[in-house]
Amino acid sequence: REKDDKSKAWMPKFLIAKENKDQRKSSDDVERSIFNIKKSNAEKNKKMEKEEKFFRETFMYDKEINVISTATAEYSVPSQRRVDLPVTAGEQLDVIDVTEGSAVICRNSEGRYGYVLVEHLNFR
């Protein structure tokens, strides 16, 4: 008798778990979301390569791109020229190269390159 009671109590839970299985995401949905993430990364990489190519052509930059340091923009500054990098206050920038004068070549998180004045940056 005790064995029958235990199996009766256990069986409905087992059946309920199977019914809920349909409500969960199917394996196709999971595969699709993974594919979308990979696709967006591929698009981001293409954009970064395009920005780098534009940077090398515009600035005639033949050296290897190395990050010298990172800096935070203190002020929001719109770009005056095509070669200037527009920055917003608090944005993290990678300093790529130091130029003559008061400007440095920086890269933002989107992969865009351009000149930023040193007085707009905080190197902490």
Side-chain angles (χ1 to χ4, degrees), residues 2 18 25 29 33-34 38 44 48 53-54 63 77 80 88 91 93 95 97 103 108 124:
E2 290 176 12
K18 274 193 169 184
K25 288 185 175 181
D29 294 340
S33 67
I34 291 170
K38 289 180 181 179
K44 187 175 181 180
M48 296 278 270
K53 182 179 178 184
F54 175 77
K63 298 184 261 180
V77 183
Q80 302 294 326
T88 56
E91 183 178 13
L93 302 171
V95 178
D97 201 358
N108 65 8
R124 288 185 193 176

Side-chain angles (χ1 to χ4, degrees), residues 4-59:
D4 292 338
D5 291 340
K6 287 182 183 178
S7 65
K8 285 181 183 178
W10 180 76
M11 288 299 285
K13 290 180 183 177
F14 178 75
L15 294 174
I16 290 171
K18 274 193 169 184
E19 290 172 2
N20 289 341
K21 185 178 178 182
D22 296 335
Q23 294 176 354
R24 293 185 216 147
K25 288 185 175 181
S26 68
S27 61
D28 294 338
D29 294 340
V30 173
E31 289 175 15
R32 285 185 186 129
S33 67
I34 291 170
F35 180 71
N36 289 340
I37 292 169
K38 289 180 181 179
K39 185 178 177 183
S40 66
N41 285 343
E43 289 174 2
K44 187 175 181 180
N45 288 339
K46 278 186 178 180
K47 184 177 179 182
M48 296 278 270
E49 289 174 6
K50 183 180 175 184
E51 289 290 341
E52 183 178 334
K53 182 179 178 184
F54 175 77
F55 164 69
R56 289 188 180 278
E57 290 172 357
T58 305
F59 289 78

